[in-house]
Amino acid sequence: MAGLPTITGFRRSPDGGRGLARDLRVRWALEEAGQSYAVELLDFAELKSHRHLARNPFGQIPTYASEGLVLFESGAILWHLGQEHPVLLPAESKARARAVMWMFAALNTVEPPIFESSLARVLERDRPWFAERQEMLEGRVRGVLGRLADRLGQGEWLEARFSAGDLLMVSVLRRLGGTGIIEDWPNLAGYVARGEARPAFQRALAAQRTEAEAVRARG
Amino acid sequence: MAGLPTITGFRRSPDGGRGLARDLRVRWALEEAGQSYAVELLDFAELKSHRHLARNPFGQIPTYASEGLVLFESGAILWHLGQEHPVLLPAESKARARAVMWMFAALNTVEPPIFESSLARVLERDRPWFAERQEMLEGRVRGVLGRLADRLGQGEWLEARFSAGDLLMVSVLRRLGGTGIIEDWPNLAGYVARGEARPAFQRALAAQRTEAEAVRARG
């Protein structure tokens, strides 16, 4: 009686269905793994409900529940899926460690300045310091991207083959979509495009877009 | 010819030896594992050297090298050590997934607002917006701490036993030392104190302090 793994996502994503919320990372990973799943969409009020806080004390999406195991943090969910799906994490121990390394690099080194910059665009747009501070933040983002671009070079993926490290890195870089920043590094722009071209990504994006449209249609 | 694992740290840490740099997390983990190690201390200029960028393209410490495997990102290094040392990651698969979850939570949910707040204290102290923005940042930090404190309750650790998830969470919370913020949640303050009281933490802290003093003594 295992049933399908169940993940959570926003009922009304702040990004309007562009697939920038963190549930897309988990959907993409499940699609790479060929694993069917169920989705529970949550209103903002439900994120702070006792029921959801029991799954994730920080009241965020996504969460993952399957066979008595409940997880939050997209990185941890991908790591868990990678235990059984080598498309996400290679079986060989050194290659696996390097893939895990890129997962942490995406989430702890590359995402924070990108996240701060997009958060400021939402929360601090009307503050008197916005323009000056945004320039500082963009400088931090560009510093990290330049290093990443140097390392990637003309490689297809960050290591010899695609892994959950690339899945997270591409997802994090997608947050910059529309800013024009990433286009200054054509190899990074190509890397993101390669990630987005994967059939599993396309299926994940379509699934969350279909759900978002169904929610809007119901009003 | 394996030799000792070699990690990197700051020759002159910006925190003056209080153990807030990220190499302490790796030292602590190595001490928990009972694993001897060598340390290579780097000047700030060396962080951007070709040699170090080959280890870590982002030019940061710590890195880890052992038996042909080179890693950066403290989270990834701890994960790797946890493969052979159950004190860091339990062997049972669900318990292990929950420990990995707390590692990601420490680094991707709890550390970013704390890091932003301490970064602003360094980089934005002289800016006209500093006080007003610091209030916003402290609000974000307090929001996350409140949720974490609710989950921890009167527990000793985040799950049934100590893991690399606690090691990282305590390390991240230690960045707040001296701000007086964490003391508003006595259970979190006690949690940090329990982490710091572990003999492995004490050995790691003493080792990096001794190195820092030796560097200062050489002038």
Side-chain angles (χ1 to χ4, degrees):
Chain A
M1 280 304 297
L4 291 180
T6 300
I7 67 169
T8 51
F10 290 127
R11 185 176 307 277
R12 291 168 197 279
S13 180
D15 74 350
R18 284 188 298 142
L20 300 179
R22 287 181 169 121
D23 61 308
L24 189 71
R25 304 166 184 190
V26 174
R27 293 173 190 260
W28 181 3
L30 286 159
E31 294 286 352
E32 293 282 354
Q35 168 69 61
S36 301
Y37 58 96
V39 183
E40 183 183 339
L41 298 178
L42 301 176
D43 290 324
F44 291 112
E46 289 173 299
L47 293 174
K48 308 305 175 193
S49 69
H50 179 76
R51 176 163 176 268
H52 189 63
L53 292 175
R55 288 188 285 223
N56 179 349
F58 301 105
Q60 297 166 335
I61 61 97
T63 58
Y64 170 95
S66 180
E67 302 182 26
L69 174 66
V70 179
L71 295 175
F72 62 95
E73 289 289 335
S74 52
I77 297 168
L78 264 62
W79 176 83
H80 172 68
L81 294 173
Q83 301 310 293
E84 294 197 357
H85 299 287
V87 64
L88 297 172
L89 288 178
E92 191 276 320
S93 69
K94 285 183 185 173
R96 177 172 289 218
R98 297 278 300 177
V100 168
M101 176 187 85
W102 287 112
M103 293 176 68
F104 279 104
L107 297 178
N108 199 226
T109 295
V110 180
E111 185 164 46
I114 292 175
F115 181 76
E116 286 306 314
S117 176
S118 52
L119 194 68
R121 281 195 295 273
V122 175
L123 297 183
E124 301 179 31
R125 184 169 284 287
D126 299 329
R127 304 288 179 131
W129 64 71
F130 176 73
E132 191 178 347
R133 195 165 167 271
Q134 198 62 21
E135 200 176 302
M136 292 177 58
L137 286 171
E138 192 175 315
R140 280 168 65 194
V141 170
R142 287 181 176 276
V144 166
L145 294 188
R147 298 288 184 194
L148 183 65
D150 284 351
R151 169 55 62 103
L152 179 65
Q154 294 310 309
E156 185 176 13
W157 306 111
L158 291 164
E159 298 284 323
R161 41 146 287 195
F162 176 84
S163 78
D166 295 295
L167 193 161
L168 286 176
M169 194 67 82
V170 167
S171 299
V172 161
L173 295 175
R174 287 188 75 245
R175 282 184 179 271
L176 291 168
T179 64
I181 294 176
I182 206 157
E183 287 71 16
D184 286 348
W185 290 274
N187 66 334
L188 287 187
Y191 172 68
V192 172
R194 273 192 295 284
E196 292 179 334
R198 291 179 72 89
F201 175 86
Q202 289 296 325
R203 288 194 297 272
L205 189 68
Q208 67 93 37
R209 192 169 282 163
T210 302
E211 288 168 20
E213 283 164 6
V215 168
R216 270 200 294 272
R218 283 196 297 274
Chain B
M1 279 308 295
L4 291 180
T6 301
I7 67 169
T8 51
F10 290 127
R11 185 177 307 278
R12 293 168 196 279
S13 180
D15 74 348
R18 284 188 297 143
L20 299 181
R22 288 183 169 120
D23 61 307
L24 189 71
R25 304 168 184 189
V26 174
R27 293 171 189 260
W28 182 3
L30 287 158
E31 293 286 352
E32 292 282 356
Q35 168 68 59
S36 301
Y37 58 97
V39 183
E40 183 182 340
L41 298 178
L42 301 176
D43 291 325
F44 292 112
E46 288 173 298
L47 293 174
K48 309 304 175 194
S49 68
H50 179 76
R51 175 163 177 268
H52 189 62
L53 291 176
R55 289 188 285 224
N56 178 351
F58 301 105
Q60 297 168 334
I61 61 97
T63 58
Y64 171 94
S66 180
E67 301 181 28
L69 175 66
V70 179
L71 294 175
F72 63 95
E73 289 289 334
S74 53
I77 298 167
L78 265 62
W79 176 83
H80 172 69
L81 294 172
Q83 302 309 294
E84 294 197 357
H85 299 287
V87 64
L88 296 173
L89 287 178
E92 191 276 317
S93 69
K94 286 183 184 174
R96 176 172 288 218
R98 298 277 301 175
V100 168
M101 176 187 85
W102 286 112
M103 293 175 69
F104 279 104
L107 297 178
N108 199 228
T109 294
V110 180
E111 185 165 46
I114 292 175
F115 180 76
E116 286 305 314
S117 176
S118 53
L119 194 68
R121 282 195 294 275
V122 174
L123 297 183
E124 302 179 31
R125 182 169 287 287
D126 299 330
R127 304 288 179 129
W129 64 71
F130 176 72
E132 191 178 345
R133 196 166 166 270
Q134 198 62 21
E135 202 176 301
M136 291 177 57
L137 287 171
E138 191 175 315
R140 280 169 64 194
V141 170
R142 287 181 176 275
V144 166
L145 294 187
R147 299 285 184 194
L148 183 66
D150 284 351
R151 169 55 62 103
L152 178 66
Q154 294 311 308
E156 185 176 13
W157 306 111
L158 290 166
E159 298 284 324
R161 40 147 287 199
F162 176 84
S163 78
D166 296 296
L167 192 160
L168 286 176
M169 194 66 81
V170 167
S171 298
V172 161
L173 296 175
R174 287 187 74 245
R175 283 183 178 270
L176 291 167
T179 64
I181 294 176
I182 205 157
E183 287 72 13
D184 286 348
W185 290 273
N187 67 332
L188 287 186
Y191 172 68
V192 172
R194 274 193 294 285
E196 292 179 335
R198 291 178 72 89
F201 175 87
Q202 290 295 325
R203 288 194 298 272
L205 189 67
Q208 67 91 37
R209 192 170 283 161
T210 301
E211 288 169 20
E213 283 166 5
V215 169
R216 269 200 295 272
R218 283 197 296 273

